[in-house]
Every structure is written in C-alpha cells, then in structure tokens.
Tab-separated table of all heavy atoms in Angstrom:
chain	number	residue	atom	x	y	z
N	1	GLY	N	-71.906	-67.915	37.955
N	1	GLY	CA	-71.166	-67.733	39.200
N	1	GLY	C	-71.711	-68.590	40.290
N	1	GLY	O	-72.718	-68.242	40.926
N	2	ASP	N	-71.110	-69.736	40.550
N	2	ASP	CA	-71.521	-70.584	41.654
N	2	ASP	C	-70.407	-70.789	42.678
N	2	ASP	O	-70.558	-71.490	43.643
N	2	ASP	CB	-71.996	-71.944	41.150
N	2	ASP	CG	-70.880	-72.758	40.486
N	2	ASP	OD1	-69.821	-72.164	40.178
N	2	ASP	OD2	-71.068	-73.980	40.287
N	3	ARG	N	-69.262	-70.109	42.437
N	3	ARG	CA	-68.099	-70.285	43.316
N	3	ARG	C	-67.217	-69.036	43.295
N	3	ARG	O	-67.346	-68.173	42.407
N	3	ARG	CB	-67.285	-71.475	42.819
N	3	ARG	CG	-66.539	-71.230	41.519
N	3	ARG	CD	-66.139	-72.493	40.823
N	3	ARG	NE	-67.313	-73.175	40.280
N	3	ARG	CZ	-67.279	-74.414	39.790
N	3	ARG	NH1	-66.154	-75.093	39.773
N	3	ARG	NH2	-68.382	-74.963	39.324
N	4	LEU	N	-66.345	-68.985	44.247
N	4	LEU	CA	-65.253	-68.026	44.214
N	4	LEU	C	-63.994	-68.739	43.820
N	4	LEU	O	-63.675	-69.815	44.369
N	4	LEU	CB	-65.041	-67.373	45.596
N	4	LEU	CG	-66.157	-66.480	46.144
N	4	LEU	CD1	-65.805	-66.053	47.558
N	4	LEU	CD2	-66.340	-65.277	45.258
N	5	VAL	N	-63.285	-68.224	42.842
N	5	VAL	CA	-61.956	-68.703	42.496
N	5	VAL	C	-60.970	-67.785	43.214
N	5	VAL	O	-60.999	-66.561	43.002
N	5	VAL	CB	-61.717	-68.732	40.996
N	5	VAL	CG1	-60.264	-69.096	40.670
N	5	VAL	CG2	-62.675	-69.712	40.326
N	6	VAL	N	-60.146	-68.345	44.075
N	6	VAL	CA	-59.310	-67.572	44.966
N	6	VAL	C	-57.846	-67.955	44.762
N	6	VAL	O	-57.496	-69.124	44.716
N	6	VAL	CB	-59.699	-67.822	46.448
N	6	VAL	CG1	-58.903	-66.914	47.363
N	6	VAL	CG2	-61.200	-67.602	46.628
N	7	LEU	N	-56.985	-66.929	44.660
N	7	LEU	CA	-55.544	-67.133	44.536
N	7	LEU	C	-54.876	-66.665	45.818
N	7	LEU	O	-55.207	-65.632	46.362
N	7	LEU	CB	-55.007	-66.350	43.349
N	7	LEU	CG	-55.653	-66.640	41.995
N	7	LEU	CD1	-54.986	-65.823	40.873
N	7	LEU	CD2	-55.631	-68.124	41.653
N	8	CYS	N	-53.899	-67.446	46.297
N	8	CYS	CA	-53.190	-67.117	47.527
N	8	CYS	C	-51.747	-67.603	47.414
N	8	CYS	O	-51.345	-68.143	46.373
N	8	CYS	CB	-53.889	-67.777	48.732
N	8	CYS	SG	-53.806	-69.589	48.741
N	9	ARG	N	-50.988	-67.422	48.452
N	9	ARG	CA	-49.613	-67.895	48.462
N	9	ARG	C	-49.603	-69.421	48.522
N	9	ARG	O	-50.333	-70.008	49.336
N	9	ARG	CB	-48.857	-67.318	49.667
N	9	ARG	CG	-47.363	-67.695	49.663
N	9	ARG	CD	-46.654	-67.049	50.858
N	9	ARG	NE	-45.234	-67.336	50.812
N	9	ARG	CZ	-44.344	-66.658	50.113
N	9	ARG	NH1	-44.732	-65.626	49.409
N	9	ARG	NH2	-43.064	-66.994	50.112
N	10	PRO	N	-48.825	-70.093	47.662
N	10	PRO	CA	-48.753	-71.569	47.740
N	10	PRO	C	-48.400	-72.045	49.149
N	10	PRO	O	-47.487	-71.511	49.788
N	10	PRO	CB	-47.658	-71.921	46.714
N	10	PRO	CG	-47.704	-70.788	45.726
N	10	PRO	CD	-48.020	-69.564	46.562
N	11	GLY	N	-49.103	-73.047	49.620
N	11	GLY	CA	-48.897	-73.576	50.949
N	11	GLY	C	-49.845	-73.016	51.994
N	11	GLY	O	-49.920	-73.503	53.126
N	12	PHE	N	-50.602	-71.958	51.615
N	12	PHE	CA	-51.539	-71.320	52.534
N	12	PHE	C	-52.990	-71.579	52.126
N	12	PHE	O	-53.895	-70.863	52.566
N	12	PHE	CB	-51.261	-69.816	52.626
N	12	PHE	CG	-50.086	-69.462	53.444
N	12	PHE	CD1	-48.788	-69.666	52.954
N	12	PHE	CD2	-50.219	-68.942	54.714
N	12	PHE	CE1	-47.675	-69.364	53.725
N	12	PHE	CE2	-49.120	-68.628	55.493
N	12	PHE	CZ	-47.824	-68.833	54.987
N	13	GLU	N	-53.214	-72.597	51.315
N	13	GLU	CA	-54.579	-72.863	50.838
N	13	GLU	C	-55.533	-73.189	51.991
N	13	GLU	O	-56.670	-72.725	52.028
N	13	GLU	CB	-54.584	-74.033	49.838
N	13	GLU	CG	-53.779	-73.765	48.585
N	13	GLU	CD	-52.278	-74.039	48.744
N	13	GLU	OE1	-51.894	-74.556	49.811
N	13	GLU	OE2	-51.527	-73.723	47.799
N	14	GLY	N	-55.061	-73.998	52.957
N	14	GLY	CA	-55.908	-74.344	54.081
N	14	GLY	C	-56.242	-73.149	54.956
N	14	GLY	O	-57.367	-73.018	55.466
N	15	ASP	N	-55.261	-72.269	55.170
N	15	ASP	CA	-55.483	-71.071	55.959
N	15	ASP	C	-56.460	-70.142	55.249
N	15	ASP	O	-57.332	-69.508	55.890
N	15	ASP	CB	-54.157	-70.351	56.206
N	15	ASP	CG	-53.094	-71.302	56.748
N	15	ASP	OD1	-53.227	-71.704	57.890
N	15	ASP	OD2	-52.171	-71.638	55.978
N	16	CYS	N	-56.329	-70.047	53.943
N	16	CYS	CA	-57.250	-69.229	53.144
N	16	CYS	C	-58.670	-69.791	53.226
N	16	CYS	O	-59.623	-69.035	53.398
N	16	CYS	CB	-56.742	-69.212	51.698
N	16	CYS	SG	-57.569	-68.005	50.660
N	17	ALA	N	-58.804	-71.109	53.168
N	17	ALA	CA	-60.119	-71.741	53.251
N	17	ALA	C	-60.763	-71.484	54.614
N	17	ALA	O	-61.968	-71.218	54.724
N	17	ALA	CB	-60.021	-73.243	52.979
N	18	ALA	N	-59.952	-71.550	55.673
N	18	ALA	CA	-60.472	-71.292	57.030
N	18	ALA	C	-60.950	-69.853	57.140
N	18	ALA	O	-62.003	-69.574	57.763
N	18	ALA	CB	-59.389	-71.587	58.064
N	19	GLU	N	-60.214	-68.934	56.544
N	19	GLU	CA	-60.648	-67.548	56.569
N	19	GLU	C	-61.947	-67.343	55.831
N	19	GLU	O	-62.865	-66.649	56.316
N	19	GLU	CB	-59.542	-66.658	55.946
N	19	GLU	CG	-59.946	-65.187	55.885
N	19	GLU	CD	-58.909	-64.314	55.202
N	19	GLU	OE1	-57.799	-64.804	54.902
N	19	GLU	OE2	-59.219	-63.128	54.963
N	20	LEU	N	-62.081	-67.939	54.633
N	20	LEU	CA	-63.302	-67.792	53.855
N	20	LEU	C	-64.502	-68.377	54.576
N	20	LEU	O	-65.592	-67.785	54.564
N	20	LEU	CB	-63.121	-68.467	52.504
N	20	LEU	CG	-62.055	-67.872	51.589
N	20	LEU	CD1	-61.905	-68.727	50.323
N	20	LEU	CD2	-62.408	-66.440	51.197
N	21	ALA	N	-64.309	-69.516	55.235
N	21	ALA	CA	-65.432	-70.119	55.977
N	21	ALA	C	-65.882	-69.208	57.115
N	21	ALA	O	-67.094	-69.057	57.345
N	21	ALA	CB	-65.004	-71.479	56.506
N	22	GLN	N	-64.952	-68.624	57.807
N	22	GLN	CA	-65.324	-67.715	58.907
N	22	GLN	C	-65.983	-66.457	58.391
N	22	GLN	O	-66.957	-65.972	58.952
N	22	GLN	CB	-64.108	-67.365	59.756
N	22	GLN	CG	-64.451	-66.432	60.912
N	22	GLN	CD	-63.308	-66.285	61.896
N	22	GLN	OE1	-62.588	-67.241	62.188
N	22	GLN	NE2	-63.142	-65.082	62.418
N	23	ARG	N	-65.457	-65.905	57.292
N	23	ARG	CA	-66.053	-64.703	56.705
N	23	ARG	C	-67.487	-64.998	56.291
N	23	ARG	O	-68.392	-64.159	56.477
N	23	ARG	CB	-65.235	-64.238	55.518
N	23	ARG	CG	-63.914	-63.585	55.863
N	23	ARG	CD	-63.108	-63.232	54.614
N	23	ARG	NE	-61.961	-62.434	55.015
N	23	ARG	CZ	-61.948	-61.108	55.114
N	23	ARG	NH1	-63.071	-60.441	54.838
N	23	ARG	NH2	-60.889	-60.445	55.481
N	24	ALA	N	-67.713	-66.159	55.690
N	24	ALA	CA	-69.077	-66.520	55.263
N	24	ALA	C	-69.998	-66.606	56.471
N	24	ALA	O	-71.127	-66.116	56.460
N	24	ALA	CB	-69.056	-67.823	54.511
N	25	ALA	N	-69.537	-67.272	57.524
N	25	ALA	CA	-70.363	-67.409	58.717
N	25	ALA	C	-70.720	-66.070	59.315
N	25	ALA	O	-71.840	-65.884	59.840
N	25	ALA	CB	-69.631	-68.279	59.751
N	26	GLU	N	-69.833	-65.113	59.262
N	26	GLU	CA	-70.060	-63.802	59.861
N	26	GLU	C	-71.144	-62.986	59.129
N	26	GLU	O	-71.695	-62.054	59.688
N	26	GLU	CB	-68.752	-62.999	59.900
N	26	GLU	CG	-67.764	-63.547	60.917
N	26	GLU	CD	-66.414	-62.868	60.824
N	26	GLU	OE1	-66.217	-62.079	59.877
N	26	GLU	OE2	-65.555	-63.105	61.702
N	27	VAL	N	-71.427	-63.354	57.865
N	27	VAL	CA	-72.484	-62.652	57.134
N	27	VAL	C	-73.693	-63.556	56.900
N	27	VAL	O	-74.528	-63.269	56.041
N	27	VAL	CB	-71.934	-62.133	55.765
N	27	VAL	CG1	-70.855	-61.110	55.986
N	27	VAL	CG2	-71.441	-63.260	54.875
N	28	GLY	N	-73.798	-64.636	57.675
N	28	GLY	CA	-74.971	-65.499	57.596
N	28	GLY	C	-74.970	-66.475	56.426
N	28	GLY	O	-76.026	-66.987	56.062
N	29	ALA	N	-73.819	-66.704	55.856
N	29	ALA	CA	-73.707	-67.681	54.760
N	29	ALA	C	-72.948	-68.921	55.232
N	29	ALA	O	-72.569	-69.023	56.403
N	29	ALA	CB	-72.998	-67.034	53.565
N	30	TRP	N	-72.745	-69.813	54.381
N	30	TRP	CA	-71.922	-71.025	54.675
N	30	TRP	C	-71.262	-71.436	53.384
N	30	TRP	O	-71.440	-70.817	52.339
N	30	TRP	CB	-72.830	-72.134	55.236
N	30	TRP	CG	-73.867	-72.643	54.251
N	30	TRP	CD1	-73.745	-73.670	53.398
N	30	TRP	CD2	-75.166	-72.087	54.069
N	30	TRP	NE1	-74.894	-73.808	52.669
N	30	TRP	CE2	-75.790	-72.863	53.043
N	30	TRP	CE3	-75.871	-71.022	54.614
N	30	TRP	CZ2	-77.065	-72.599	52.598
N	30	TRP	CZ3	-77.166	-70.766	54.165
N	30	TRP	CH2	-77.754	-71.547	53.169
N	31	GLY	N	-70.482	-72.474	53.450
N	31	GLY	CA	-69.821	-72.908	52.233
N	31	GLY	C	-68.713	-73.915	52.511
N	31	GLY	O	-68.381	-74.177	53.658
C-alpha cells in the first residue's frame, strides 16, 4: 500500500484531488 486508489464521478477528478490534498494537510500529511 503506497497509494490510495480513488473512484469518483467522471469529470470531477481534479476536484477530488484538491479535496484529498486538503484532507492530507489537515492531518499533517502531504501528497
């Protein structure tokens, strides 16, 4: 496990990535 494989609505990949980056930052991680 070195990654998250994430499924979302087609066309919302960038929005999903932005959410994941912010969620990571909020718990002291990055990615």
Side-chain angles (χ1 to χ4, degrees):
D2 65 345
R3 71 199 71 190
L4 293 175
V5 174
V6 185
L7 305 181
C8 65
R9 184 178 183 84
F12 283 75
E13 297 84 7
D15 309 289
C16 191
E19 177 183 353
L20 295 174
Q22 180 169 322
R23 285 176 172 272
E26 289 174 352
V27 297
W30 64 92

